[in-house]
Structure formats: C-alpha cells, structure tokens
Amino acid sequence: MTDQTARMHKGVDLWAVVALGLGTAVGVAIFSVIAPATALAGPGMLLAVVVAAVPMFVIAMTYAFMGSALPTSGASFEWSRRFVHPFVGYLIAWMRIVSNVGAMLILALVMVRYLSMVIPLPTKPTMLAAFVIFFFANYFGVGLAARLQVILMGALVVLFIVFSAWGAPHVQAAQFEPFLPNGTAGMLAAIPLLIGLFFGIEAATEIGDEVKDSQKTIPLGIGLSILTAVALYLMVGAVAIGVIGPEALAKSETPLLDAAQPFMGPVAKPLIVCAAVIAIAKSINSLYLGFSRSLFAMAREGMLPAALAKVHPKYGTPHMALATILGATCLGLLAPMNLTSLFLAVNIPTLLKYAATCIAATVVVRKHPEIYEGARFKLSKGATVGWAYAGCAASLVVAVLGFSADWTPYAALAVWAAIGVTYYAVSGRQRAVA
C-alpha cells in the first residue's frame, strides 16, 4: 500500500488547489440558482450568499486543519475510516459513488444544453465525449489535470470580470429597494438553495498525496477558495440584480444570459454560454480528480477490489479507478434524468461526508495530540473541537432540510446503502478467511 501511494506524483501547487476548490464549487449552480434565490429574498439574495457561506466556512476550517495534519488521497474516506470507524468511512464513501456519478451526469447534461444554444448537439453522445475527454486529461498525470483546472478557472474569472465590468455602468440603485421585500424570513429561506454554491470548496484535500508542501498549501488554498467564491458570487449577483431587477431575475430560466443581453446585445449569448461551459467543464475535471482518489483509497484499504488501487507506472495516476468512473458515467447515460432528484442525491452524501470529517477532527484533537501538534494550521484545541461540532451540526441540519423537497433520493440512497452494507459484510468475511 505504501509503495502505491509513494508513486503518486506531487504535481499540484497552491494555485491548482485554489482552482480545484473553485472548480468544484463555482459550477452549474451560479447559472441557475440565483433566480429562485432572488424570488425568495429579492436583492437580499446577496446577503443570503454571505450567510450561506458561514456553514461552509465553519466546515472549511475543519478541513483546513485536517488537511494540514494528515494530507492523503481519498482524505474524507481515510479520516472517517481511521478516526470514526472503518465502516462509517466505507459507507459514506460508498454512498458518494452514486453522488459523484450523479454530479457528473448533471454537469455534463447542463453543459450540453448550454452548448446547444449556439450549436445543435445530440445530448447523450456529447455527454459521452465530454467524459472521455476528461478521462484522458486525468489519465496522463495529475499535473496535466491540475494545469487544465488552473487554465479553465482563470478563463472563467476573466469572463465574470468582463460581465461585471461591462454591466456595472448599467446598474440602477433603485433595483435594490426594498432590499428585503419578503423580510428576514425570505432571506433565510434562500440560504438552503445557496449553500450548494460552496459545495466542493475542500476538493483538494481528496488528493493530498499529490499536493506540493501539502500541510501548508491545503489550508491556505481552502481559505483563498472560499473568499474568492464569495467575491465572485456577490460581483455577478449584484450586476444581475442591478441591471434587470429582482422581479425579472426571479422569473428567468437563464438568469445570467437574461441579465447580460440588455448591455451586451448579440455578444451575450456566446459569452455566457462560453462561461457556463468553462465553469461546468472544470467541475467535471475536479470531480474526476477527487472521485478517482476516493475509489483508490477504498481499494487500498481492501474495501473495494484491489485493481482500483493500481497506479500507472509512467503517469502516476490511479488509472483503473479513472477507467471505472468512465464506465460508471457511461452506464449512467442509460438512466432517466430528473435534475431535482439528482441534485439531492449529490448533496446528501456530501453533507454526511462533511459531518463525518468534523467528528474525525474532534477525535484527532482528543485522542491523538501528536497529530494535532504536527498540523501546520490549527486553532486552540477547544476552538478546533467547537468548530468541528458546529460544522457537523450544520451539515446534518441542511441534509434533513432536503427531505421536504423530494423524499425519493433518500429512499434510493437507502437502497444503495443496503447494497453497500451487504458487500461490506461479504467482502469482510472473505478477507477474514484469506
């Protein structure tokens, strides 16, 4: 196991860590969720963005601590397995298999829909082509995938700055009055929608074995990622509201495109489509990176077939795990796609992952003082435990809130979990006999 990990190449620097976090978080949601959030909160949606960042900031503090203390591939699985219970780590990682495949299907589907606004494309063949392209981008080394992520993130930031700078002179102050048309209750109601804007900000922790100077780079990268994400969302959201007003934005199915058209004219569609495709493409790339390392880590511990723990002798990538992801997404193309159900199926295991990582952090502080002392980023012991429990509580509360929207993903995940429990029991007996 150690030899396999040792062959993983350290090709990820600070800016790649930031790009990975932003690449997962700043994806499809910014092009869609600001409309329903504005319907609930009006211009107060901007305040709701800041408030929604608070739970993720709390969770990010714990990830920054754990990432500086124990950087490793498949970190969320490894930390839960080692410090909570092997079965807890396994079960959450098992549920996240569905979560990650669902996320990749959502992203590819929405990307094709945006591209089809400019060039008519067949949906599922184009989705398949996207999965193949990102498979090879990750197959040929983490350095290539990380450089691609930095390039895509840089291009997206430039496009958002162009949108905001071009639109700023057209912003009307009157559009922000009243700031809270539905009161504080409306602003608070928008927060569960907007929390998803920050999911994945901790993505680089999943490839900790491949980060240069990981104990310093990971916590700094997470902090920069969340601050940059808040700034981008506020900048884009303020221009969108200020140009077309909260009422029009709330009714829009393509909010950023509708906001851009009054001041960009015919340039709006290709520019916003380009921004959407770049945002979604980098999210798919980031998912390939993190998902493959999770499968690798599970296989390394004997919880999935050993073949998934193989590392390519030349490129230093978990090539069998990457091939498995490509196969799973291809199978997913055969399934019907309900976006609401898919979004919830993605979010629930992610929130459980956050909760388990936070519990793991409390165990590290209480029972492993040598690990705590070795962390490059840490608060006092009491503060670290407090932040971790707060992050756990926030994760579980948000996970429960989704049940009222649609219960079917919860049932589907329960069935998938039952399959995972059965596999764990059977493979455990086989390992014991061996």
Side-chain angles (χ1 to χ4, degrees), residues 145-372:
R147 285 193 296 273
L148 176 62
Q149 195 73 3
V150 172
I151 291 168
L152 291 173
M153 190 65 237
L156 183 64
V157 170
V158 169
L159 288 173
F160 280 159
I161 290 173
V162 169
F163 169 85
S164 301
W166 198 338
H170 301 270
V171 169
Q172 301 176 45
Q175 302 284 23
F176 296 91
E177 297 177 359
F179 188 70
L180 294 173
N182 300 317
T184 304
M187 186 274 293
L188 294 175
I191 291 172
L193 287 175
L194 295 168
I195 283 177
L197 291 170
F198 300 97
F199 281 176
I201 210 78
E202 78 300 332
T205 60
E206 302 298 340
I207 58 168
D209 285 330
E210 298 156 275
V211 177
K212 299 174 182 176
D213 193 13
S214 52
Q215 288 187 305
K216 176 182 177 182
T217 302
I218 287 175
L220 181 57
I222 290 174
L224 290 172
S225 295
I226 199 165
L227 291 173
T228 305
V230 171
L232 283 175
Y233 293 145
L234 290 178
M235 179 176 69
V236 172
V239 169
I241 291 172
V243 171
I244 64 172
E247 294 81 7
L249 190 66
K251 296 174 183 176
S252 175
E253 294 184 359
T254 53
L256 294 191
L257 178 58
D258 289 346
Q261 283 177 332
F263 58 89
M264 287 187 174
V267 178
K269 182 176 285 188
L271 189 138
I272 296 302
V273 166
C274 183
V277 169
I278 290 173
I280 295 166
K282 64 183 179 46
S283 293
I284 297 174
N285 186 55
S286 184
L287 277 168
Y288 250 114
L289 274 166
F291 188 13
S292 60
R293 274 57 179 183
S294 178
L295 296 178
F296 168 84
M298 292 176 75
R300 182 174 58 186
E301 296 302 324
M303 294 181 178
L304 286 179
L308 297 178
K310 290 184 178 180
V311 176
H312 196 283
K314 179 178 180 181
Y315 302 117
T317 54
H319 58 297
M320 296 302 294
L322 289 166
T324 300
I325 294 170
L326 178 60
T329 51
C330 289
L331 288 174
L333 292 173
L334 303 176
M337 296 183 190
N338 179 300
L339 283 181
T340 301
S341 296
L342 281 172
F343 270 120
L344 285 171
V346 169
N347 290 348
I348 296 163
T350 301
L351 289 161
L352 294 177
K353 176 192 79 169
Y354 290 156
T357 296
C358 290
I359 294 298
T362 68
V363 175
V364 167
V365 173
R366 290 185 288 106
K367 297 185 178 181
H368 300 275
E370 74 286 358
I371 297 176
Y372 170 81

Side-chain angles (χ1 to χ4, degrees), residues 62 65-66 69-70 78-80 82-84 357-375 381 384-385 388:
T62 298
F65 162 66
M66 292 295 287
L70 287 166
E78 285 288 352
W79 297 335
S80 300
R82 182 174 172 184
F83 299 114
V84 182
T357 296
C358 290
I359 294 298
T362 68
V363 175
V364 167
V365 173
R366 290 185 288 106
K367 297 185 178 181
H368 300 275
E370 74 286 358
I371 297 176
Y372 170 81
E373 294 299 334
K381 290 185 176 182
T384 301
V385 170

